[in-house]
Amino acid sequence: MNHPTASLASLPIPRGPRKGTRHFLRDDDLSPADQARVLDLAADLKRAPYDAKPLAGPRTVAMIFDKQTLRTQASFAAGIAELGGHPMLVDGALAGIGVRESVDDVARVLGRQASVIVWRTFEQSRLEAMAEHSGVPVVNALTDEFHPCQLLADLLTIREQKGELAGLTVAFLGDGACNMGNSWLLAGATAGLHVRISSPEGYAPGAAMVDAAAAIAAGTGGSAVLEADPHAAVAGADVVVTDTWISMGKEDEAAPRAQVFGPYSVSAALFAEAKPDAIAMHCLPAYRGKEIDAEVIDGPRSVVWDEAENRRHAQKAVLTWLLEEEDRG
Ligand code: NVA
């Protein structure tokens, strides 16, 4: 493809032979070095939001949503505009991807219109099929399995607060089997964090995910463990994280979940068992009085609004990282 590349010249990106189309489908698509570089770039873009224009043209980024969204749509649309591009919203229900026509055919069509495809959908396999057939980079804007853009924003936020990532301890309380639990395992291990996942019985991440994270952590000095006791999980933690107990698509399970998740609520008392300077995180939307107390999420050590803002900076960095490979030509 013949894309304008001159505006990339101002970015600190080393040039070399092109390796192929990059995608960001799950957290471990970024190696530890890639992740560190994307986070550095995100910090640079936060300092100077209008200086880099890798989407100048404007080149189009397709954003497709099969599930509800606020932060993801807003932060991608704003970030794409800041990069000089055009955000094209594709209504997942109207498109009927996989119903009206196959994922493969949608990928082939959108790949002829857009330079990047950003998709929020259900099964990870749908995203993989999109990446296989689009011919352009594909970004996971949340699936049932992963939420990697959120994790980059969260890591950027922790780094801003603590000055570093490697060696810090993060306790994730709640549905460890959901996208956020899996993404904390993989992205946290990649960053060299000590990740503790604390969930009720039946809601822990799968063994394969924990093993994958532990294998990454072996190379970064981090760790990835399950700790069923929420008090043991938060003891000495630098960061306490939670998420809704009922992810999108799980609404039918609200009643049984409400029965077992109570002890994993980030109450003010439980948060006080973490380090005195621990920060509280939540990807939002939040349900005060359920997975987190209002006193915590609205308190002085909550960083949730920084997380929400940092979605834009982190995603701009991901788009830049994806495009640098496309634009090698
Ligand atoms: N686990 C949540 C994350 C929302 C951003 C969900 O999938 O609904």
Side-chain angles (χ1 to χ4, degrees), residues 237 271-279 301:
F271 188 48
E273 295 176 27
K275 281 193 180 156
D277 63 349
I279 54 174
R301 286 187 282 133

Side-chain angles (χ1 to χ4, degrees), residues 10 28 93-94 108 118 120 211 279:
S10 61
D28 52 358
L94 274 182
R108 292 178 181 112
V118 172
R120 167 168 289 188
D211 290 349
I279 54 174

Side-chain angles (χ1 to χ4, degrees), residues 142 147 178-180 243-244 247-248 283-285:
L142 183 147
H147 196 4
C178 84
N179 40 28
M180 286 301 293
D243 182 18
T244 179
S247 286
M248 292 179 277
C283 61
L284 306 172

Side-chain angles (χ1 to χ4, degrees), residues 5-328:
T5 57
S7 51
L8 269 178
S10 61
L11 289 172
I13 292 170
R15 297 256 152 197
R18 184 167 171 196
K19 296 188 202 119
T21 295
R22 286 175 173 164
H23 302 285
F24 188 46
L25 307 184
R26 43 187 282 167
D27 306 82
D28 52 358
D29 284 338
L30 294 180
S31 68
D34 291 333
Q35 187 196 69
R37 209 169 126 251
V38 167
L39 291 175
D40 286 346
L41 184 54
D44 288 346
L45 291 168
K46 186 169 182 174
R47 274 189 292 274
Y50 310 109
D51 281 8
K53 305 285 181 199
L55 285 168
R59 293 156 75 177
T60 292
V61 177
M63 306 184 301
I64 319 166
F65 295 99
D66 291 341
K67 293 180 177 177
Q68 291 170 294
T69 178
L70 169 67
R71 275 150 297 280
T72 301
Q73 181 178 336
S75 57
F76 264 109
I80 291 161
E82 287 179 6
L83 293 176
H86 166 64
M88 177 174 70
L89 185 60
V90 177
D91 183 322
L94 274 182
I97 302 172
V99 179
R100 189 162 164 262
E101 54 193 320
S102 69
V103 175
D104 301 8
D105 285 359
V106 170
R108 292 178 181 112
V109 169
L110 288 181
R112 299 295 182 100
Q113 304 295 344
S115 295
V116 181
I117 297 168
V118 172
W119 193 13
R120 167 168 289 188
T121 191
F122 293 87
E123 298 87 359
Q124 186 75 9
S125 57
R126 285 163 63 80
L127 200 72
E128 286 162 4
M130 182 73 84
E132 195 178 331
H133 297 284
S134 63
V136 298
V138 172
V139 179
N140 182 345
L142 183 147
T143 58
D144 293 344
E145 284 92 343
F146 301 105
H147 196 4
C149 290
Q150 180 69 49
L151 259 290
L152 288 177
D154 289 356
L155 295 176
L156 181 63
T157 306
I158 297 173
R159 218 174 65 164
E160 288 171 346
Q161 294 291 324
K162 302 287 180 188
E164 61 184 348
L165 291 171
L168 296 175
T169 296
V170 174
F172 176 98
L173 272 63
D175 183 5
C178 84
N179 40 28
M180 286 301 293
N182 290 335
S183 279
W184 268 106
L185 279 172
L186 295 185
T190 302
L193 295 169
H194 299 292
V195 182
R196 302 172 182 164
I197 306 283
S198 191
S199 313
E201 197 181 337
Y203 296 96
M209 200 61 66
V210 181
D211 290 349
I216 296 169
T220 62
S223 59
V225 298
L226 303 182
E227 173 50 75
D229 177 358
H231 300 279
V234 301
D238 300 284
V239 180
V240 178
V241 193
T242 189
D243 182 18
T244 179
W245 295 335
I246 303 151
S247 286
M248 292 179 277
K250 300 286 185 193
E251 291 80 3
D252 291 352
E253 299 176 22
R257 285 172 178 248
Q259 303 276 315
V260 295
F261 274 93
Y264 297 85
S265 175
V266 182
S267 63
L270 189 58
F271 188 48
E273 295 176 27
K275 281 193 180 156
D277 63 349
I279 54 174
M281 303 187 80
H282 193 308
C283 61
L284 306 172
Y287 300 92
R288 290 167 173 79
K290 303 275 194 202
E291 75 272 8
I292 191 163
D293 272 5
E295 203 179 327
V296 177
I297 194 169
D298 299 320
R301 286 187 282 133
S302 165
V303 295
V304 300
W305 313 119
D306 292 336
E307 291 177 76
E309 178 190 333
N310 283 341
R311 292 291 303 278
R312 181 169 87 258
H313 310 302
Q315 289 156 189
K316 286 174 67 180
V318 167
L319 291 171
T320 304
W321 176 78
L322 293 167
L323 288 165
E324 85 184 24
E325 196 58 38
E326 291 301 292
D327 292 342
R328 272 183 221 280

